[in-house]
Amino acid sequence: MDLKNRIKERAEELGFCKIGFTSMDDLPRVCEEARRREYPEFLLGLAERGSHPRQIAPEARSIIVLAYDYSEIDYPESLLPYIGRFYLSHSFMPREGTPARGRLDAFESYLAEEGVDFEPDRIQLMIRPAALRAGVISFGRNNFAYVDGVGSFVTLYGYFTTCEFEPDEPAPNCLCPPHCHACIDACPMDAMGEPFNLDASKCMVWVNALSYSRAGVRDIPEGLRDKLGLHVHGCDACQAVCPRNQKALRREKTSDPLLEQISSEFSLEKLLHMPDGFYQRCVRPIMYNYVDDPVAFQRNAAIAMGNSGDARYVQDLRMELGNPDETIRSHVLWALNKLEGQVEDGETTSV
Ligand code: B12
């Protein structure tokens, strides 16, 4: 068996659902798309740089793309309404000591054993278009990368290597059923106007997580708060309704000890009050990618409480009216106004 096939076989043994190889050629369509969609400046910069692989890794000759299917994890029902599966899977830029980090370490050790010189991509490469060209994924109308027969609940990883591998055949552009627009209709943020066209600045995770870390933005615009529903970090709406993901959602699952432990403690009340140690035990291990500031999560908990229609939270919100942080106070006030208005109208679920 040649080196490329040995690497493919090893990746599959390690639990990656697909692997492919592609060239270092530019991915020009990415910046065109990002510009056309008037991406926030920060994301446009990422897209520009990330679509020129040779600028990121001048010495490299090929790109290896791996996909990991995170639908295998049994996500606790107590966490799913609040946090996107992608983050719960803690497989994106995984931390030391996690199963996802272990899988990547094992793959890297294998490359080293085979004498393959490599450099992991640190999020810079525009991985979806690279994965399409490597034959690993096709695009869904919701912008997501789909591994055929697996679905879109996949995390993608890229490696640059100085070895020159024969590129794989690109996958078909899109395999969605004709005329299906379930994903576009399901987006609570109305972030998708037309197929393959996500308005990144409206996407849930941009609004409730990423925008916070950019340019000191702390407040979530009032007009968007209702739309966030109960979500405190990302959302799966456009993937969960997709007919191509139903098999993955129903498959046999494996429990994740970290999630089990977090789910036994997690609640919106704790997220709002942030008792000692809660942030390090229950927030940081899964929501570590973009924001490292408890205030952002307290703010999001307040919004979720306001949107819950549950009068049980009125008391908790009142307790934070004197919080020294202005962002927390103003979002708590918004949530209280919303909930108390509903209490007066008799619309809440429990009083
Ligand atoms: C910045 C970023 C974001 C931004 C902007 C996302 C966006 N779509 O533009 C925000 C914060 C909003 C975001 C949100 C999410 N993200 Co994000 N994000 C990234 C990141 C770092 C860069 C993506 C980017 O800026 N792309 C620029 C745009 C223009 O390109 P693109 O979407 O990749 O590809 C489009 C165009 O290039 C064009 N295109 C290019 N070539 C071709 C060729 C053909 C034939 C066609 C039809 C189209 C086409 O169409 C593509 C689809 O619209 C990538 C990791 C990476 N380094 O690539 C992860 C990544 C895209 N995110 C990921 C995930 C999971 C999410 C969330 C689901 C998290 C959540 N649960 O809340 C959401 C959902 C977003 C969505 N519906 O796409 C995964 C996606 C995995 C998958 N199966 O697709 C990635 C790949 C991370 C990873 N390594 O696995 N994300």
Side-chain angles (χ1 to χ4, degrees):
M1 202 190 293
D2 69 5
L3 177 60
K4 184 171 151 183
N5 282 311
R6 289 202 299 281
I7 296 173
K8 284 192 169 186
E9 191 176 83
R10 186 69 186 129
E12 278 156 26
E13 280 166 13
L14 289 170
F16 295 100
C17 62
K18 192 95 189 236
I19 168 171
F21 295 73
T22 189
S23 72
M24 292 290 290
D25 292 346
D26 282 352
L27 302 158
R29 186 149 168 189
V30 188
C31 347
E32 270 168 38
E33 281 291 320
R35 253 184 249 116
R36 190 175 69 79
R37 299 185 213 168
E38 297 174 2
Y39 264 35
E41 208 177 310
F42 158 71
L43 291 182
L44 185 60
L46 267 184
E48 298 264 4
R49 183 163 165 75
S51 44
H52 301 291
R54 290 193 183 91
Q55 279 180 20
I56 308 172
E59 308 291 312
R61 293 287 165 270
S62 296
I63 301 169
I64 308 176
V65 179
L66 295 167
Y68 161 65
D69 173 9
Y70 61 84
S71 74
E72 70 160 336
I73 298 173
D74 190 7
Y75 297 100
E77 289 298 328
S78 57
L79 298 175
L80 277 177
Y82 310 114
I83 305 159
R85 284 175 179 78
F86 183 60
Y87 303 107
L88 290 174
S89 76
H90 50 107
S91 59
F92 179 44
M93 305 174 76
R95 306 173 97 197
E96 290 304 319
T98 58
R101 187 62 258 168
R103 232 178 346 259
L104 292 174
D105 286 345
F107 181 71
E108 291 171 18
S109 301
Y110 181 74
L111 290 182
E113 259 171 50
E114 286 279 14
V116 175
D117 179 48
F118 65 89
E119 180 67 40
D121 171 53
R122 313 235 177 257
I123 204 189
Q124 294 190 63
L125 175 69
M126 288 295 109
I127 194 76
R128 295 199 270 205
L132 176 82
R133 204 169 65 196
V136 172
I137 64 107
S138 297
F139 281 111
R141 292 203 183 94
N142 54 3
N143 282 284
F144 271 87
Y146 282 74
V147 173
D148 195 21
V150 172
S152 68
F153 293 112
V154 293
T155 306
L156 300 173
Y157 305 102
Y159 285 91
F160 297 108
T161 169
T162 51
C163 296
E164 186 143 5
F165 289 100
E166 182 66 27
D168 285 315
E169 278 299 308
N173 291 347
C174 177
L175 293 168
C176 289
H179 315 303
C180 180
H181 45 81
C183 52
I184 296 170
D185 299 344
C187 178
M189 307 298 288
D190 300 317
M192 280 176 280
E194 55 185 83
F196 314 109
N197 193 350
L198 175 81
D199 180 343
S201 64
K202 284 191 184 164
C203 183
M204 181 76 72
V205 73
W206 174 263
V207 176
N208 71 8
L210 233 149
S211 65
Y212 188 91
S213 57
R214 316 302 325 162
V217 177
R218 289 170 67 92
D219 288 2
I220 292 188
E222 287 214 19
L224 292 178
R225 293 181 198 171
D226 288 334
K227 293 184 175 183
L228 296 176
L230 298 178
H231 303 285
V232 297
H233 198 85
C235 133
D236 289 329
C238 68
Q239 298 188 89
V241 295
C242 174
R244 300 178 66 197
N245 277 332
Q246 298 314 304
K247 190 174 109 196
L249 289 170
R250 285 195 301 266
R251 68 180 282 192
E252 204 177 312
K253 315 274 184 193
T254 316
S255 80
D256 177 316
L258 175 70
L259 293 184
E260 294 300 320
Q261 179 243 309
I262 291 175
S263 73
S264 66
E265 206 188 330
F266 188 89
S267 67
L268 284 185
E269 291 96 321
K270 286 206 174 143
L271 197 63
L272 177 70
H273 300 310
M274 213 58 91
D276 277 354
F278 181 76
Y279 183 70
Q280 289 307 335
R281 276 196 311 280
C282 295
V283 178
R284 204 63 193 137
I286 42 179
M287 297 181 266
Y288 55 87
N289 288 112
Y290 311 119
V291 199
D292 185 6
D293 184 348
V295 168
F297 295 97
Q298 292 175 278
R299 173 202 63 185
N300 293 354
I303 294 177
M305 286 178 170
N307 287 333
S308 70
D310 192 338
R312 181 170 52 123
Y313 294 130
V314 167
Q315 200 50 35
D316 290 284
L317 288 163
R318 284 192 185 136
M319 283 162 69
E320 296 298 337
L321 277 173
N323 193 297
D325 188 283
E326 165 59 24
T327 296
I328 298 177
R329 275 201 315 278
S330 66
H331 288 77
V332 159
L333 197 60
W334 174 87
L336 265 177
N337 283 338
K338 185 165 180 187
L339 266 188
E340 286 178 338
Q342 289 168 340
V343 172
E344 277 159 25
D345 297 342
E347 284 173 21
T348 52
T349 50
S350 63
V351 183

